[in-house]
Each structure stands twice: as structure tokens, then as C-alpha cells.
Amino acid sequence: MIEVRHICKTLPGGRRVLDDLSFTVRKGEFVGVLGASGAGKTLTLRCLNGLLKPDSGSILIALPGGGVEDICKVPSRKLRQIRQRIGVVFQGYHLVKRLTVLENVLVGRLGQISTFRSLIYGFKDKEAEEAVAALEKVKVAHLAGARVSSLSGGEMQRVAIARAIFQNPHLLLADEPISNLDPSNAKVIMRLIRPLCEEMPVIGVFHQPEMTAKYCTRIIAIKEGRIVYDGQPVLTQEQLIDIYGEELRQIENHNHERPVL
Ligand SMILES: Nc1ncnc2c1ncn2[C@@H]1O[C@H](COP(=O)(O)OP(=O)(O)OP(=O)(O)O)[C@@H](O)[C@H]1O
Ligand SMILES: [Mg+2]
């Protein structure tokens, strides 16, 4: 469970980019965060991941061993520990291209093993087996020995998900995980991410309202740093226009005016 309570963030120039956000996400939920460019979606995820500290408010995370911590208040060492069990998947994959697929997955747990073992890449056989199991889960185990630089975008994103799974996370965050992908690969990735919410809360930022409505269990929409919608993954055209602005109406009208080919 992750519970965000009244978080605010103001930039040094005085612009408030996160304005009193509150929401709770539980295991079993796959929340899709929507919003126009610059709305504050990435900033929100950065706060949830402990990379950015809000000016006020709290972010309570249920820990795997029991107990709850406010990541805005814990000391940095504890925060590092908590962050090791937060899986993140980004738009740009964030993989090490010169390493193999298997090595990239193993890297996901570097923060959890001793410095000495990590210096010599001292992973145990059991860990390698678990890494392969994570790759199997996203159906790219056959690529374990391949260099990441030789993979397609869809394959890279699967490896990124496998790396997050291998971290054994208790929270999964994804920032635009399907933005670089063609529609068919995007669907594959959504289908891989969705069942993960049975084991942990999953929060993803998307720019594809239809895909979000289809695969997420709930939608949160952010506009100018505020939550303007939080509920069922069903949005009307008017709600979408409210979220994305009047330009969307113009695009829609333009599409209707175009002759059907
Ligand atoms: N490090 C920073 N310094 C100054 N302004 C920032 C910083 N990071 C983000 N911002 C500003 O805060 C606002 C919200 O940014 P954020 O990255 O959360 O947008 P977003 O909703 O993720 O947009 P996009 O869909 O384009 O990724 C933007 O106006 C952005 O310019
Ligand atoms: Mg963003």
C-alpha cells in the first residue's frame, strides 16, 4: 500500500507544480496517471520513488516485512533501503546497452547485495535462476545471453520489466512505459504489467487514454499539479477535454471532418 497525503512542491521561482495531491493505492490496483505535458506526472512519480522530496505532506509506504514508513521523513540510509524494493520502469528503458540481457536484470538487485559482492558481480546461481525466471515471465528468456544493444524497443521494455520484477518490489512505478512502442508492443507491455498488480500496487503514467482505460483498474488525472479525476477507468470526451485542454476538441473535430479513406 502507498498512501500519499497532501503533497505539495513549489519550484524555486515560486511556481507550485504539485498542489495538495492525496491518494492511496493498494495491492490489486493498477492506477493509470493521465495529464497533459507538464501537468506534474513525472514529478509525482519522483516523489513516490523518494527521488524528490515534497515541501510538505507525507508518503506512507507499507514495507515488505510489515510496518509503514513515511518516505518524506526517513533518514537517507533507510530511504535507500526502501527504494531498493521499489521497481521502476521508464520510457527510455534505462538499460546498460553493452551488457547482456541477463546482466541487466541482475543489476536490478545490485543495491541489495553487499558492496564486495557487487564489485565482483558476485551473484549466486540462485539469483541467476531467479533472473531467468523474471525473463521467462515477460517471455524473453531466450534472449538472456544477447546484448541489449541488439534488441528491439519492445524487447528492451520487457527486459526493463524483468529487471523490476527481479528486484522483488513491493511497489511498481512506470513512467510512460509504452510511449516508444508501436500499438501491438504497447498492448503486450500493458498485458505484462497488469497482472503484477496482484502482488503489489502498480502506478503508471500514460499518454494513451484508451489503453489506460482498457488495462488500468483506476485512473488518476492531474492538471496543473492537482488531481482533477480519481476513479473508474472510464472517461467521457468532456472529461478528457478538461484534462488535456481545448486543443483535444479541435483535434477531434478535425478528425471528424476528414473524409474516410
Ligand atoms: N527540475 C526541474 N526544475 C524546474 N522545473 C521543473 C523540474 N522538473 C519539472 N519541472 C516543471 O514542473 C512541471 C511538471 O513537470 P513533469 O515532468 O512532472 O511533467 P509531466 O506531467 O511528466 O509532463 P510530460 O507528459 O511532458 O512528461 C513542468 O512544468 C516542468 O517544466
Ligand atoms: Mg513526464
Side-chain angles (χ1 to χ4, degrees):
M1 187 264 326
I2 177 160
E3 184 177 342
V4 176
R5 285 190 192 158
H6 303 291
I7 59 167
C8 293
K9 185 82 193 169
T10 303
L11 294 178
R15 186 159 70 96
R16 182 162 274 211
V17 279
L18 296 181
D19 192 0
D20 198 19
L21 301 187
S22 293
F23 57 89
T24 299
V25 184
R26 296 188 166 81
K27 195 160 102 171
E29 289 189 292
F30 175 14
V31 173
V33 180
L34 295 178
S37 194
K41 307 179 296 297
T42 296
L43 286 180
T44 304
L45 280 201
R46 284 171 63 79
C47 289
L48 304 189
N49 188 21
L51 281 174
L52 181 73
K53 205 172 162 168
D55 302 326
S56 56
S58 51
I59 300 173
L60 307 170
I61 295 192
L63 302 180
V68 173
E69 290 281 2
D70 179 354
I71 60 164
C72 303
K73 297 208 174 68
V74 291
S76 54
R77 202 190 146 131
K78 179 82 189 167
L79 180 62
R80 266 202 304 279
Q81 264 176 18
I82 296 173
R83 293 193 57 226
Q84 281 158 16
R85 301 288 296 275
I86 300 178
V88 283
V89 178
F90 294 103
Q91 175 184 6
Y93 323 119
H94 288 235
L95 300 172
V96 187
K97 296 246 168 61
R98 67 190 157 77
L99 297 182
T100 66
V101 164
L102 186 65
E103 284 164 341
N104 266 277
V105 175
L106 288 165
V107 161
R109 238 185 245 180
L110 269 186
Q112 296 176 29
I113 65 176
S114 73
T115 315
F116 176 68
R117 273 220 288 143
S118 70
L119 278 176
I120 57 163
Y121 280 111
F123 288 100
K124 296 175 178 161
D125 287 353
K126 187 174 162 291
E127 285 161 333
E129 274 167 29
E130 281 178 47
V132 172
L135 286 168
E136 271 164 7
K137 215 164 179 175
V138 294
K139 304 189 172 57
V140 284
H142 59 289
L143 296 173
R147 263 187 214 295
V148 160
S149 52
S150 69
L151 304 187
S152 73
E155 288 163 345
M156 283 194 210
Q157 199 57 294
R158 291 187 203 206
V159 176
I161 295 172
R163 184 180 54 187
I165 293 173
F166 178 67
Q167 265 179 274
N168 201 4
H170 52 98
L171 170 67
L172 183 68
L173 305 172
D175 197 359
E176 300 195 35
I178 59 171
S179 289
N180 281 350
L181 305 178
D182 65 58
S184 133
N185 268 306
K187 217 190 247 180
V188 169
I189 295 300
M190 291 302 259
R191 284 196 183 140
L192 289 172
I193 294 177
R194 159 104 195 206
L196 299 177
C197 82
E198 282 154 28
E199 289 156 49
M200 70 201 95
V202 179
I203 305 173
V205 167
F206 298 101
H207 273 302
Q208 299 78 1
E210 298 88 13
M211 292 287 254
T212 312
K214 190 160 172 202
Y215 292 99
C216 293
T217 61
R218 173 175 153 203
I219 286 178
I220 290 180
I222 301 180
K223 185 178 179 180
E224 293 166 10
R226 287 175 191 221
I227 292 180
V228 290
Y229 179 87
D230 183 351
Q232 293 293 315
V234 196
L235 291 173
T236 64
Q237 195 58 21
E238 283 308 310
Q239 282 171 319
L240 284 172
I241 288 166
D242 177 43
I243 296 164
Y244 290 102
E246 281 297 319
E247 292 88 358
L248 189 71
R249 194 190 303 278
Q250 281 151 22
I251 294 166
E252 284 295 307
N253 290 341
H254 180 68
N255 284 343
H256 286 300
E257 280 160 19
R258 282 166 68 175
V260 179
L261 296 174

